[in-house]
Amino acid sequence: MAKILFVVSGADHWTLADGTAHPTGFWAEEAVAPYRAFTDAGHEVVVATPGGVVPTVDRGSLAPDVNCGQEGADAVAAGLEAFEELRRPVALEDVDPDAYDAVFYPGGHGPMEDLAVDPVSGRLLTRVLASGKPLGVVCHGPAALLAATGPDGRSAFAGYRLTGFTNTEETQAGFADKAKWLLQDRLVALGADFQEGEPWAPFVITDRNLITGQNPASSAPLAAEMLNRLD
């Protein structure tokens, strides 16, 4: 049995370019689908957040129209209810990454607010990347990679092939013209080899031990790839 760390945003809002606070948090499907995959395979999941705060789900991620209808929305809601570890997270500051076999970052706009500038998360990402253990990051989760810089200011992820929520998807979601910055632009700026699939379709990129997914639909296939690495 493997022990898998979920690093989840502790933010309940995302500050937009005009200074307003947009309610957000983590995206439900991006946490639930991998959790189901890992626990169904017999693995243990531990959730960590900055400060050990109970994470906030983005209420928009529970709507039928983003879950293929009411049945899908009900399934995601049931998955959240079963995900008891979300209600008792450990403090990210107290985490020893060596105690885990794999690390996973779900998205939602929350990471754009806190994990993108969290040095504790940045150091953890750098250590896990160097360890060779599976590191999965999906959708807006790659915002956390922005904090993984060395003493020379260079990103630990420079030169890696990866993906994340695209400018096209952010535009179609209605936030591109409201955001302070766009994730794809920042990942390209840090020196990553950003790969872009079709909007909203599953798209997963693997480079060494880094496994990234573009959007919510990529969560389950990303989890499957992580499970392959743990076998």
Short mmCIF file of all heavy atoms in Angstrom, two decimals, residues 75-139:
data_model
loop_
_atom_site.label_atom_id
_atom_site.label_comp_id
_atom_site.label_asym_id
_atom_site.label_seq_id
_atom_site.Cartn_x
_atom_site.Cartn_y
_atom_site.Cartn_z
N ALA A 75 -22.88 12.35 -8.12
CA ALA A 75 -21.77 11.42 -7.89
C ALA A 75 -20.56 12.16 -7.31
O ALA A 75 -19.89 11.66 -6.40
CB ALA A 75 -21.39 10.72 -9.18
N VAL A 76 -20.28 13.36 -7.83
CA VAL A 76 -19.17 14.14 -7.31
C VAL A 76 -19.45 14.57 -5.87
O VAL A 76 -18.57 14.51 -5.01
CB VAL A 76 -18.90 15.36 -8.21
CG1 VAL A 76 -17.97 16.35 -7.52
CG2 VAL A 76 -18.28 14.93 -9.53
N ALA A 77 -20.68 14.99 -5.59
CA ALA A 77 -21.05 15.38 -4.23
C ALA A 77 -20.90 14.21 -3.26
O ALA A 77 -20.41 14.38 -2.13
CB ALA A 77 -22.47 15.92 -4.20
N ALA A 78 -21.31 13.03 -3.70
CA ALA A 78 -21.16 11.84 -2.86
C ALA A 78 -19.68 11.51 -2.64
O ALA A 78 -19.28 11.09 -1.55
CB ALA A 78 -21.86 10.66 -3.51
N GLY A 79 -18.88 11.73 -3.69
CA GLY A 79 -17.45 11.50 -3.55
C GLY A 79 -16.81 12.44 -2.55
O GLY A 79 -15.94 12.03 -1.78
N LEU A 80 -17.25 13.68 -2.55
CA LEU A 80 -16.73 14.64 -1.56
C LEU A 80 -17.11 14.23 -0.15
O LEU A 80 -16.31 14.34 0.79
CB LEU A 80 -17.28 16.03 -1.85
CG LEU A 80 -16.56 16.89 -2.89
CD1 LEU A 80 -17.27 18.23 -2.99
CD2 LEU A 80 -15.10 17.09 -2.54
N GLU A 81 -18.33 13.77 0.00
CA GLU A 81 -18.79 13.35 1.32
C GLU A 81 -17.95 12.18 1.84
O GLU A 81 -17.65 12.09 3.04
CB GLU A 81 -20.27 12.95 1.25
CG GLU A 81 -20.88 12.55 2.59
CD GLU A 81 -20.91 13.68 3.60
OE1 GLU A 81 -20.96 14.86 3.18
OE2 GLU A 81 -20.88 13.38 4.81
N ALA A 82 -17.57 11.29 0.94
CA ALA A 82 -16.78 10.12 1.34
C ALA A 82 -15.30 10.46 1.57
O ALA A 82 -14.57 9.68 2.19
CB ALA A 82 -16.89 9.04 0.26
N PHE A 83 -14.87 11.61 1.08
CA PHE A 83 -13.47 12.01 1.16
C PHE A 83 -13.22 12.64 2.54
O PHE A 83 -13.06 13.84 2.68
CB PHE A 83 -13.16 12.98 0.02
CG PHE A 83 -11.71 13.22 -0.27
CD1 PHE A 83 -11.32 13.76 -1.49
CD2 PHE A 83 -10.71 12.92 0.65
CE1 PHE A 83 -9.99 14.01 -1.79
CE2 PHE A 83 -9.37 13.16 0.37
CZ PHE A 83 -9.02 13.71 -0.85
N GLU A 84 -13.19 11.81 3.56
CA GLU A 84 -13.11 12.30 4.93
C GLU A 84 -11.81 13.03 5.23
O GLU A 84 -11.76 13.93 6.08
CB GLU A 84 -13.29 11.13 5.90
CG GLU A 84 -14.65 10.46 5.82
CD GLU A 84 -14.80 9.30 6.78
OE1 GLU A 84 -13.81 9.00 7.49
OE2 GLU A 84 -15.88 8.71 6.82
N GLU A 85 -10.75 12.65 4.53
CA GLU A 85 -9.44 13.27 4.79
C GLU A 85 -9.44 14.77 4.51
O GLU A 85 -8.63 15.51 5.08
CB GLU A 85 -8.36 12.58 3.95
CG GLU A 85 -8.07 11.14 4.36
CD GLU A 85 -9.04 10.13 3.71
OE1 GLU A 85 -10.03 10.57 3.07
OE2 GLU A 85 -8.80 8.92 3.83
N LEU A 86 -10.34 15.23 3.64
CA LEU A 86 -10.45 16.66 3.37
C LEU A 86 -10.87 17.45 4.60
O LEU A 86 -10.58 18.64 4.71
CB LEU A 86 -11.46 16.92 2.24
CG LEU A 86 -11.00 16.66 0.81
CD1 LEU A 86 -12.19 16.75 -0.13
CD2 LEU A 86 -9.91 17.64 0.39
N ARG A 87 -11.54 16.79 5.52
CA ARG A 87 -12.05 17.48 6.70
C ARG A 87 -11.08 17.45 7.87
O ARG A 87 -11.34 18.03 8.93
CB ARG A 87 -13.41 16.87 7.11
CG ARG A 87 -14.48 17.10 6.04
CD ARG A 87 -15.85 16.65 6.47
NE ARG A 87 -16.02 15.21 6.42
CZ ARG A 87 -16.32 14.52 5.32
NH1 ARG A 87 -16.46 15.15 4.16
NH2 ARG A 87 -16.48 13.21 5.35
N ARG A 88 -9.93 16.77 7.68
CA ARG A 88 -8.91 16.75 8.74
C ARG A 88 -7.51 16.80 8.12
O ARG A 88 -6.72 15.86 8.27
CB ARG A 88 -9.08 15.51 9.62
CG ARG A 88 -9.38 14.21 8.87
CD ARG A 88 -9.60 13.06 9.84
NE ARG A 88 -10.02 11.84 9.18
CZ ARG A 88 -9.23 10.98 8.57
NH1 ARG A 88 -7.93 11.19 8.56
NH2 ARG A 88 -9.71 9.90 7.98
N PRO A 89 -7.22 17.90 7.44
CA PRO A 89 -5.91 18.02 6.81
C PRO A 89 -4.79 18.26 7.82
O PRO A 89 -5.03 18.75 8.93
CB PRO A 89 -6.08 19.24 5.90
CG PRO A 89 -7.10 20.07 6.60
CD PRO A 89 -8.06 19.09 7.21
N VAL A 90 -3.59 17.91 7.42
CA VAL A 90 -2.42 18.25 8.20
C VAL A 90 -1.87 19.57 7.66
O VAL A 90 -2.21 20.01 6.56
CB VAL A 90 -1.34 17.15 8.12
CG1 VAL A 90 -1.90 15.83 8.63
CG2 VAL A 90 -0.81 16.99 6.69
N ALA A 91 -1.03 20.22 8.45
CA ALA A 91 -0.42 21.48 8.02
C ALA A 91 0.70 21.17 7.03
O ALA A 91 1.58 20.34 7.31
CB ALA A 91 0.12 22.24 9.21
N LEU A 92 0.67 21.85 5.91
CA LEU A 92 1.71 21.64 4.90
C LEU A 92 3.10 21.89 5.48
O LEU A 92 4.06 21.22 5.11
CB LEU A 92 1.44 22.58 3.72
CG LEU A 92 2.35 22.43 2.50
CD1 LEU A 92 2.29 21.04 1.91
CD2 LEU A 92 1.98 23.47 1.44
N GLU A 93 3.18 22.81 6.40
CA GLU A 93 4.46 23.16 7.01
C GLU A 93 5.06 21.99 7.79
O GLU A 93 6.28 21.96 8.03
CB GLU A 93 4.29 24.36 7.95
CG GLU A 93 3.85 25.63 7.23
CD GLU A 93 2.34 25.71 6.96
OE1 GLU A 93 1.60 24.75 7.26
OE2 GLU A 93 1.91 26.76 6.43
N ASP A 94 4.23 21.04 8.22
CA ASP A 94 4.69 19.91 9.03
C ASP A 94 4.96 18.66 8.20
O ASP A 94 5.33 17.62 8.76
CB ASP A 94 3.65 19.58 10.11
CG ASP A 94 3.46 20.72 11.09
OD1 ASP A 94 4.40 21.52 11.27
OD2 ASP A 94 2.36 20.81 11.68
N VAL A 95 4.78 18.73 6.90
CA VAL A 95 4.88 17.54 6.05
C VAL A 95 6.34 17.20 5.76
O VAL A 95 7.14 18.07 5.41
CB VAL A 95 4.13 17.76 4.72
CG1 VAL A 95 4.50 16.69 3.70
CG2 VAL A 95 2.63 17.75 4.97
N ASP A 96 6.66 15.91 5.91
CA ASP A 96 7.94 15.37 5.47
C ASP A 96 7.70 14.63 4.17
O ASP A 96 7.11 13.54 4.18
CB ASP A 96 8.51 14.41 6.52
CG ASP A 96 9.80 13.75 6.06
OD1 ASP A 96 10.33 14.11 5.00
OD2 ASP A 96 10.27 12.85 6.79
N PRO A 97 8.11 15.17 3.03
CA PRO A 97 7.81 14.50 1.75
C PRO A 97 8.42 13.12 1.63
O PRO A 97 7.93 12.30 0.86
CB PRO A 97 8.39 15.47 0.71
CG PRO A 97 9.33 16.35 1.44
CD PRO A 97 8.83 16.43 2.84
N ASP A 98 9.46 12.85 2.41
CA ASP A 98 10.09 11.53 2.36
C ASP A 98 9.16 10.44 2.92
O ASP A 98 9.39 9.25 2.69
CB ASP A 98 11.40 11.52 3.14
CG ASP A 98 12.45 12.41 2.49
OD1 ASP A 98 12.35 12.67 1.28
OD2 ASP A 98 13.38 12.84 3.21
N ALA A 99 8.12 10.84 3.64
CA ALA A 99 7.19 9.88 4.23
C ALA A 99 6.12 9.42 3.24
O ALA A 99 5.29 8.57 3.57
CB ALA A 99 6.52 10.49 5.46
N TYR A 100 6.15 9.95 2.01
CA TYR A 100 5.11 9.65 1.03
C TYR A 100 5.70 9.02 -0.23
O TYR A 100 6.85 9.27 -0.60
CB TYR A 100 4.34 10.93 0.67
CG TYR A 100 3.61 11.50 1.86
CD1 TYR A 100 4.23 12.41 2.71
CD2 TYR A 100 2.32 11.08 2.18
CE1 TYR A 100 3.60 12.91 3.83
CE2 TYR A 100 1.67 11.58 3.30
CZ TYR A 100 2.31 12.49 4.12
OH TYR A 100 1.67 12.97 5.24
N ASP A 101 4.87 8.20 -0.87
CA ASP A 101 5.30 7.50 -2.08
C ASP A 101 4.97 8.27 -3.34
O ASP A 101 5.50 7.99 -4.42
CB ASP A 101 4.64 6.12 -2.14
CG ASP A 101 4.99 5.27 -0.94
OD1 ASP A 101 6.16 4.88 -0.83
OD2 ASP A 101 4.10 5.02 -0.10
N ALA A 102 4.05 9.24 -3.24
CA ALA A 102 3.65 10.05 -4.38
C ALA A 102 2.97 11.30 -3.84
O ALA A 102 2.49 11.33 -2.70
CB ALA A 102 2.69 9.29 -5.29
N VAL A 103 2.94 12.33 -4.69
CA VAL A 103 2.31 13.61 -4.31
C VAL A 103 1.41 14.06 -5.45
O VAL A 103 1.76 13.93 -6.63
CB VAL A 103 3.37 14.68 -4.01
CG1 VAL A 103 2.71 16.04 -3.74
CG2 VAL A 103 4.23 14.27 -2.81
N PHE A 104 0.25 14.59 -5.08
CA PHE A 104 -0.74 15.03 -6.07
C PHE A 104 -1.29 16.40 -5.70
O PHE A 104 -1.63 16.64 -4.53
CB PHE A 104 -1.88 14.02 -6.17
CG PHE A 104 -3.02 14.48 -7.03
CD1 PHE A 104 -2.88 14.58 -8.40
CD2 PHE A 104 -4.23 14.84 -6.46
CE1 PHE A 104 -3.93 15.04 -9.20
CE2 PHE A 104 -5.29 15.29 -7.24
CZ PHE A 104 -5.13 15.38 -8.61
N TYR A 105 -1.39 17.28 -6.68
CA TYR A 105 -1.96 18.62 -6.51
C TYR A 105 -3.21 18.76 -7.38
O TYR A 105 -3.10 18.82 -8.61
CB TYR A 105 -0.98 19.69 -6.95
CG TYR A 105 0.10 20.08 -5.97
CD1 TYR A 105 1.08 19.18 -5.59
CD2 TYR A 105 0.15 21.37 -5.45
CE1 TYR A 105 2.10 19.55 -4.71
CE2 TYR A 105 1.15 21.76 -4.57
CZ TYR A 105 2.12 20.84 -4.20
OH TYR A 105 3.12 21.21 -3.33
N PRO A 106 -4.41 18.85 -6.80
CA PRO A 106 -5.60 19.19 -7.59
C PRO A 106 -5.63 20.69 -7.86
O PRO A 106 -4.88 21.46 -7.25
CB PRO A 106 -6.76 18.77 -6.68
CG PRO A 106 -6.21 18.92 -5.30
CD PRO A 106 -4.74 18.60 -5.39
N GLY A 107 -6.53 21.10 -8.76
CA GLY A 107 -6.62 22.51 -9.13
C GLY A 107 -7.83 23.21 -8.55
O GLY A 107 -8.19 23.02 -7.40
N GLY A 108 -8.50 23.98 -9.40
CA GLY A 108 -9.41 25.02 -8.95
C GLY A 108 -8.62 26.31 -8.98
O GLY A 108 -7.38 26.30 -9.02
N HIS A 109 -9.28 27.45 -8.93
CA HIS A 109 -8.54 28.71 -8.95
C HIS A 109 -7.82 28.98 -7.64
O HIS A 109 -6.99 29.89 -7.56
CB HIS A 109 -9.47 29.88 -9.28
CG HIS A 109 -9.79 30.00 -10.73
ND1 HIS A 109 -11.05 29.78 -11.25
CD2 HIS A 109 -9.01 30.30 -11.80
CE1 HIS A 109 -11.03 29.95 -12.57
NE2 HIS A 109 -9.81 30.27 -12.92
N GLY A 110 -8.11 28.21 -6.59
CA GLY A 110 -7.46 28.40 -5.30
C GLY A 110 -5.94 28.45 -5.36
O GLY A 110 -5.32 29.35 -4.77
N PRO A 111 -5.28 27.50 -6.05
CA PRO A 111 -3.81 27.55 -6.10
C PRO A 111 -3.25 28.82 -6.72
O PRO A 111 -2.10 29.19 -6.44
CB PRO A 111 -3.47 26.32 -6.97
CG PRO A 111 -4.60 25.38 -6.76
CD PRO A 111 -5.81 26.27 -6.64
N MET A 112 -4.04 29.50 -7.56
CA MET A 112 -3.58 30.77 -8.14
C MET A 112 -3.42 31.83 -7.05
O MET A 112 -2.64 32.77 -7.20
CB MET A 112 -4.60 31.26 -9.18
CG MET A 112 -4.90 30.30 -10.30
SD MET A 112 -3.79 30.44 -11.70
CE MET A 112 -4.46 31.89 -12.51
N GLU A 113 -4.16 31.66 -5.94
CA GLU A 113 -4.14 32.63 -4.86
C GLU A 113 -3.05 32.34 -3.84
O GLU A 113 -2.34 33.25 -3.40
CB GLU A 113 -5.50 32.65 -4.15
CG GLU A 113 -5.64 33.70 -3.06
CD GLU A 113 -5.77 35.12 -3.60
OE1 GLU A 113 -6.14 35.30 -4.78
OE2 GLU A 113 -5.50 36.06 -2.84
N ASP A 114 -2.92 31.06 -3.43
CA ASP A 114 -1.98 30.77 -2.33
C ASP A 114 -0.77 29.94 -2.73
O ASP A 114 0.37 30.31 -2.48
CB ASP A 114 -2.71 30.16 -1.13
CG ASP A 114 -3.41 28.84 -1.42
OD1 ASP A 114 -3.46 28.39 -2.60
OD2 ASP A 114 -3.93 28.21 -0.46
N LEU A 115 -0.97 28.79 -3.36
CA LEU A 115 0.16 27.89 -3.63
C LEU A 115 1.15 28.48 -4.63
O LEU A 115 2.33 28.13 -4.61
CB LEU A 115 -0.35 26.53 -4.11
CG LEU A 115 -1.21 25.77 -3.10
CD1 LEU A 115 -1.65 24.43 -3.69
CD2 LEU A 115 -0.46 25.55 -1.79
N ALA A 116 0.68 29.37 -5.49
CA ALA A 116 1.56 29.99 -6.48
C ALA A 116 2.67 30.80 -5.83
O ALA A 116 3.71 31.03 -6.46
CB ALA A 116 0.75 30.88 -7.42
N VAL A 117 2.47 31.22 -4.59
CA VAL A 117 3.47 32.04 -3.90
C VAL A 117 3.87 31.44 -2.56
O VAL A 117 4.42 32.12 -1.70
CB VAL A 117 2.93 33.48 -3.69
CG1 VAL A 117 2.77 34.18 -5.03
CG2 VAL A 117 1.61 33.48 -2.93
N ASP A 118 3.62 30.14 -2.39
CA ASP A 118 3.89 29.48 -1.11
C ASP A 118 5.27 28.83 -1.15
O ASP A 118 5.47 27.81 -1.83
CB ASP A 118 2.82 28.42 -0.84
CG ASP A 118 2.89 27.86 0.57
OD1 ASP A 118 4.00 27.51 1.01
OD2 ASP A 118 1.84 27.76 1.23
N PRO A 119 6.24 29.35 -0.40
CA PRO A 119 7.59 28.77 -0.45
C PRO A 119 7.68 27.37 0.14
O PRO A 119 8.53 26.58 -0.29
CB PRO A 119 8.42 29.77 0.36
CG PRO A 119 7.45 30.46 1.27
CD PRO A 119 6.17 30.52 0.49
N VAL A 120 6.82 27.05 1.09
CA VAL A 120 6.82 25.70 1.67
C VAL A 120 6.42 24.69 0.60
O VAL A 120 7.08 23.65 0.42
CB VAL A 120 5.87 25.61 2.88
CG1 VAL A 120 5.77 24.17 3.39
CG2 VAL A 120 6.35 26.54 3.99
N SER A 121 5.35 24.99 -0.11
CA SER A 121 4.93 24.13 -1.21
C SER A 121 6.01 24.06 -2.28
O SER A 121 6.29 23.00 -2.84
CB SER A 121 3.62 24.65 -1.81
OG SER A 121 3.27 23.93 -2.97
N GLY A 122 6.64 25.20 -2.58
CA GLY A 122 7.68 25.23 -3.59
C GLY A 122 8.85 24.32 -3.24
O GLY A 122 9.37 23.59 -4.10
N ARG A 123 9.26 24.33 -1.98
CA ARG A 123 10.36 23.46 -1.55
C ARG A 123 9.95 21.99 -1.61
O ARG A 123 10.75 21.12 -1.99
CB ARG A 123 10.80 23.84 -0.13
CG ARG A 123 11.55 25.16 -0.06
CD ARG A 123 12.20 25.37 1.29
NE ARG A 123 11.23 25.52 2.36
CZ ARG A 123 10.71 26.68 2.75
NH1 ARG A 123 11.05 27.80 2.11
NH2 ARG A 123 9.86 26.73 3.75
N LEU A 124 8.71 21.71 -1.23
CA LEU A 124 8.22 20.33 -1.30
C LEU A 124 8.22 19.83 -2.74
O LEU A 124 8.68 18.71 -3.03
CB LEU A 124 6.83 20.24 -0.69
CG LEU A 124 6.19 18.84 -0.61
CD1 LEU A 124 5.32 18.73 0.63
CD2 LEU A 124 5.35 18.53 -1.85
N LEU A 125 7.74 20.64 -3.66
CA LEU A 125 7.71 20.26 -5.07
C LEU A 125 9.11 19.98 -5.59
O LEU A 125 9.35 19.00 -6.32
CB LEU A 125 7.06 21.37 -5.90
CG LEU A 125 5.54 21.47 -5.81
CD1 LEU A 125 5.07 22.82 -6.34
CD2 LEU A 125 4.88 20.34 -6.58
N THR A 126 10.05 20.83 -5.21
CA THR A 126 11.43 20.65 -5.67
C THR A 126 12.01 19.33 -5.16
O THR A 126 12.68 18.60 -5.92
CB THR A 126 12.29 21.83 -5.19
OG1 THR A 126 11.74 23.05 -5.72
CG2 THR A 126 13.72 21.69 -5.66
N ARG A 127 11.74 19.00 -3.90
CA ARG A 127 12.25 17.75 -3.33
C ARG A 127 11.62 16.53 -3.98
O ARG A 127 12.31 15.55 -4.28
CB ARG A 127 12.01 17.73 -1.82
CG ARG A 127 12.98 18.59 -1.03
CD ARG A 127 12.73 18.52 0.45
NE ARG A 127 12.91 17.17 0.99
CZ ARG A 127 12.74 16.85 2.28
NH1 ARG A 127 12.35 17.81 3.14
NH2 ARG A 127 12.93 15.63 2.71
N VAL A 128 10.31 16.59 -4.18
CA VAL A 128 9.63 15.44 -4.77
C VAL A 128 10.08 15.24 -6.22
O VAL A 128 10.32 14.11 -6.66
CB VAL A 128 8.10 15.60 -4.69
CG1 VAL A 128 7.39 14.45 -5.40
CG2 VAL A 128 7.66 15.67 -3.23
N LEU A 129 10.23 16.33 -6.94
CA LEU A 129 10.69 16.24 -8.32
C LEU A 129 12.07 15.58 -8.37
O LEU A 129 12.32 14.69 -9.20
CB LEU A 129 10.75 17.63 -8.94
CG LEU A 129 11.00 17.68 -10.44
CD1 LEU A 129 9.81 17.13 -11.21
CD2 LEU A 129 11.31 19.11 -10.89
N ALA A 130 12.96 15.98 -7.47
CA ALA A 130 14.31 15.43 -7.44
C ALA A 130 14.34 13.98 -6.97
O ALA A 130 15.26 13.22 -7.32
CB ALA A 130 15.21 16.29 -6.55
N SER A 131 13.32 13.58 -6.19
CA SER A 131 13.30 12.22 -5.62
C SER A 131 12.98 11.14 -6.64
O SER A 131 13.27 9.97 -6.43
CB SER A 131 12.27 12.16 -4.49
OG SER A 131 10.94 12.12 -5.02
N GLY A 132 12.32 11.53 -7.73
CA GLY A 132 11.89 10.55 -8.72
C GLY A 132 10.54 9.93 -8.40
O GLY A 132 10.03 9.14 -9.20
N LYS A 133 9.92 10.29 -7.28
CA LYS A 133 8.59 9.77 -6.95
C LYS A 133 7.54 10.40 -7.86
O LYS A 133 7.71 11.53 -8.31
CB LYS A 133 8.26 10.08 -5.49
CG LYS A 133 9.16 9.41 -4.48
CD LYS A 133 8.81 9.85 -3.07
CE LYS A 133 9.74 9.23 -2.04
NZ LYS A 133 9.43 9.69 -0.66
N PRO A 134 6.43 9.70 -8.12
CA PRO A 134 5.38 10.27 -8.96
C PRO A 134 4.85 11.59 -8.40
O PRO A 134 4.49 11.67 -7.22
CB PRO A 134 4.30 9.20 -8.98
CG PRO A 134 5.02 7.94 -8.67
CD PRO A 134 6.10 8.32 -7.72
N LEU A 135 4.81 12.60 -9.25
CA LEU A 135 4.29 13.91 -8.88
C LEU A 135 3.22 14.29 -9.89
O LEU A 135 3.51 14.54 -11.06
CB LEU A 135 5.42 14.95 -8.89
CG LEU A 135 5.02 16.42 -8.70
CD1 LEU A 135 4.30 16.62 -7.38
CD2 LEU A 135 6.25 17.32 -8.78
N GLY A 136 1.96 14.29 -9.45
CA GLY A 136 0.84 14.59 -10.32
C GLY A 136 0.26 15.96 -10.01
O GLY A 136 0.05 16.30 -8.84
N VAL A 137 0.00 16.75 -11.07
CA VAL A 137 -0.52 18.10 -10.90
C VAL A 137 -1.52 18.35 -12.02
O VAL A 137 -1.21 18.13 -13.19
CB VAL A 137 0.61 19.15 -10.95
CG1 VAL A 137 0.11 20.48 -10.42
CG2 VAL A 137 1.84 18.70 -10.17
N VAL A 138 -2.72 18.84 -11.67
CA VAL A 138 -3.76 18.96 -12.70
C VAL A 138 -4.41 20.35 -12.73
O VAL A 138 -4.54 21.01 -11.71
CB VAL A 138 -4.85 17.87 -12.49
CG1 VAL A 138 -5.69 18.15 -11.25
CG2 VAL A 138 -5.74 17.73 -13.71
N CYS A 139 -4.77 20.77 -13.95
CA CYS A 139 -5.58 21.96 -14.22
C CYS A 139 -4.91 23.25 -13.72
O CYS A 139 -3.89 23.65 -14.25
CB CYS A 139 -6.97 21.76 -13.65
SG CYS A 139 -8.22 22.86 -14.39
#
